[in-house]
């Protein structure tokens, strides 16, 4: 049975992640009637999954991991009300001149400029709380990062986290917030702008996937399926695509927009990340307490296209990354409490592509060129030096790359042959389909993306409201 409510909304927002929530909040504030459709489930502080495996299977597309065509990168794509803000590490950074200069040069968009973006960052930051981990709560993993950087005379800085009160003195651990923060400290969308948007009249329908977008006589109709296979169809004057890089590409490709805009699906980037583990004689217990204290802040790293971060993952994630088989694997895993971890995050230069097959399923093609592999090697060499200088007996490199920052596929640009979204956040040549999320990134910035997604979404909402 297909449900078709009579109501025509001003805006349908497809995706309840970071961009969708920020835009919805500003549109609702201006009095627009908005409907948000999200494929994933809605959780509360009390109902987030409590085990790593449940977290993976309930908060992500495809049960946790998606693989590219050559199985060399595992992609993590959030599927939950709040999107990436529920599962991410909440590290927030502004882009530097290097990132914006490179975006401006590939896209022709003059507003990609640190000075012009500064007011939008200010507005985004005013919606969330940002803190650093206080020194007394840094765990042993963080201490190793700190000591290693000092030994090697490398610059590092405290990580800026979107959090309000982690109550670390009560023994709370950063690891928990990767499955949804149960203490309500992480500044996820349901704790911040989505909450206010709902108070301002936003209608949210979760477990409702947008399958196709039909544009007729300047009106939008979206065809959806719910989690039980039921169908629904909704109507609006405008639609904001906020399904993330892969989600937006899929919706547009399944709706046939590639005939006019051949670049849809091209220019996919993911900052391939590599976890490496230093094995120490003493117990490190990286998973306990606050391990997300530091980031690299070394100009040489930026020039060489990588950064290092002080992060960790649950045992189910580490178990996938640890190499070896049989007894050797068991021996490595037995050392888990002795592991410290540093992650190399590379700024990838080789674009990938998202396609859909005849059934509308996503196909990911993402390779790494020589340059991208060099970036990984340079990063891992420094990680080895950090571990060795701090007394590690062994260094284990994770078996494959992880793609967490999924970006591009609907790049913003001035040329409709090589981009998808125009500088006013509209699909080229179409005045009522918009996007401002990670899909509009013209290339990989090499910096955590979420704060810039928030800033771009604030800018997009203002631009959309001006054009009404
Ligand atoms: C484990 C992990 C750690 C990370 N850590 C950090 C970090 O520390 N700092 C940082 O800056 N970034 C981090 N990121 C990346 C960051 O979370 C993302 O870049 C960001 O969430 C992207 O925002 P978005 O609005 O583009 O999409 P998302 O936040 O991913 O939201 C998209 C939403 O749209 C929904 N959707 C997709 N298609 C459809 C459809 N057809 N119909 C309905 N709904 C749909 C999805 O289910 C999803 O909920 C991390 C990501 C992961 C997975």
């Amino acid at each position: 049975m297909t449900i078709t409510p009579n109501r025509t909304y001003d805006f349908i927002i497809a995706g309840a992640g970071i961009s969708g929530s920020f835009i919805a909040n500003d549109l609702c504030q201006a009095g627009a009637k908005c409907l948000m459709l999200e494929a994933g489930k809605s959780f509360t502080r009390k109902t987030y999954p409590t085990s790593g495996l449940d977290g993976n299977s309930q908060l992500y597309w495809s049960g946790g991991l998606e693989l590219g065509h050559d199985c060399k990168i595992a992609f993590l794509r959030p599927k939950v009300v709040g999107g990436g803000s529920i599962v991410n590490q909440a590290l927030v950074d502004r882009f530097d001149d290097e990132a914006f200069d490179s975006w401006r040069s590939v896209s022709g968009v003059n507003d990609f400029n640190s000075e012009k973006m500064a007011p939008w960052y200010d507005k985004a930051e005013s919606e969330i709380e940002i803190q650093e981990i206080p020194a007394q709560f840094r765990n042993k993993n963080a201490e190793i990062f700190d000591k290693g950087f000092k030994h090697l005379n490398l610059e590092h800085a405290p990580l800026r986290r979107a959090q309000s009160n982690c109550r670390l003195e009560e023994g709370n651990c950063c690891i928990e917030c990767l499955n949804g923060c149960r203490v309500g400290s992480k500044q996820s969308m349901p704790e911040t702008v989505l909450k206010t948007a709902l108070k301002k009249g936003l209608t949210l329908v979760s477990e409702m996937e947008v399958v196709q977008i039909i544009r007729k006589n300047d009106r939008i109709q979206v065809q959806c399926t719910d989690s039980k296979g039921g169908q629904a169809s909704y109507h609006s004057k405008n639609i904001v695509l906020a399904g993330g890089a892969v989600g937006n590409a899929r919706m547009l490709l399944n709706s046939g927009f590639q005939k006019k805009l051949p670049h849809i699906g091209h220019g996919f980037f993911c900052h391939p990340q590599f976890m490496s583990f230093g094995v120490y004689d003493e117990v490190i217990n990286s998973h306990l307490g606050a391990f997300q204290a530091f980031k690299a802040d070394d100009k040489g790293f930026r020039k060489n296209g990588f950064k290092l971060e002080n992060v960790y993952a649950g045992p189910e994630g580490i178990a996938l990354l640890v190499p070896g088989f049989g007894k050797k694997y068991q021996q490595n895993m037995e050392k888990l409490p002795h592991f410290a971890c540093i992650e190399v995050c590379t700024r990838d230069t080789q674009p990938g592509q998202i396609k859909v097959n005849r059934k509308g399923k996503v196909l990911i093609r993402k390779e790494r060129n020589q340059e991208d592999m060099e970036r990984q090697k340079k990063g891992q060499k420094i990680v080895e030096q950090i571990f060795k200088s701090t007394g590690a007996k062994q260094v284990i490199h994770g078996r494959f790359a992880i793609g967490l920052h999924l970006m591009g596929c609907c790049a913003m640009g001035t040329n409709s042959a090589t981009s998808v979204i125009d500088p006013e956040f509209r699909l080229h040549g179409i005045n009522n389909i918009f996007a401002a999320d990670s899909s509009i990134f013209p290339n990989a910035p090499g910096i955590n993306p979420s704060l810039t997604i928030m800033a771009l979404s604030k800018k997009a909402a203002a631009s959309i409201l001006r054009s009404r």
Side-chain angles (χ1 to χ4, degrees), residues 13-21 37-40 60-61 76-85 87-93 178 208-211 242-248 250-251 273 292 309 311 403-407 436-439 441 447-451 453 457:
I13 296 150
I18 292 179
S19 177
S21 302
L37 302 170
E38 164 59 50
Y60 288 96
W61 288 83
L76 284 173
R77 185 156 66 101
K79 181 184 181 184
V80 53
V81 170
S85 75
V87 295
N88 73 15
Q89 315 256 19
L91 314 180
V92 282
D93 283 311
L178 301 180
M208 186 61 78
E209 182 179 340
V210 174
V211 177
V246 178
N248 282 359
R250 183 177 179 217
M251 283 186 266
Q273 308 194 11
Q292 305 188 137
E309 265 171 11
V311 296
L404 304 171
H405 301 164
L406 312 184
M407 303 165 288
D437 64 2
S438 51
S439 73
F441 283 24
I447 296 177
N448 282 311
S450 60
L451 186 62
I453 295 166
S457 300

Side-chain angles (χ1 to χ4, degrees), residues 30-44:
K33 290 186 193 73
C34 298
L35 168 70
M36 179 177 263
L37 302 170
E38 164 59 50
K41 281 189 195 164
S42 182
F43 292 87
T44 66

Side-chain angles (χ1 to χ4, degrees), residues 289-326:
F291 50 75
Q292 305 188 137
F294 291 111
K295 63 174 178 181
D297 199 21
D298 202 274
K299 293 201 174 53
F301 292 3
R302 184 80 177 120
K303 214 167 108 219
N304 282 308
F306 67 85
K307 63 188 174 91
L308 304 186
E309 265 171 11
N310 181 208
V311 296
Y312 202 55
E316 64 293 331
I318 309 293
L320 279 177
L321 293 172
V322 167
F325 295 96

Side-chain angles (χ1 to χ4, degrees), residues 104 107-113 116 414:
R104 211 169 48 251
S107 67
V109 178
N110 288 330
D111 281 4
F112 288 144
N113 166 308
K116 288 191 175 169
T414 48

Side-chain angles (χ1 to χ4, degrees), residues 19-64:
S19 177
S21 302
F22 264 77
I23 294 184
N25 191 29
D26 286 359
L27 296 181
C28 290
Q29 166 77 29
K33 290 186 193 73
C34 298
L35 168 70
M36 179 177 263
L37 302 170
E38 164 59 50
K41 281 189 195 164
S42 182
F43 292 87
T44 66
R45 290 181 197 180
K46 287 197 177 127
T47 60
Y48 285 124
T50 48
S51 81
L53 282 180
D54 285 346
N56 269 27
S57 61
Q58 294 178 31
L59 304 174
Y60 288 96
W61 288 83
S62 310

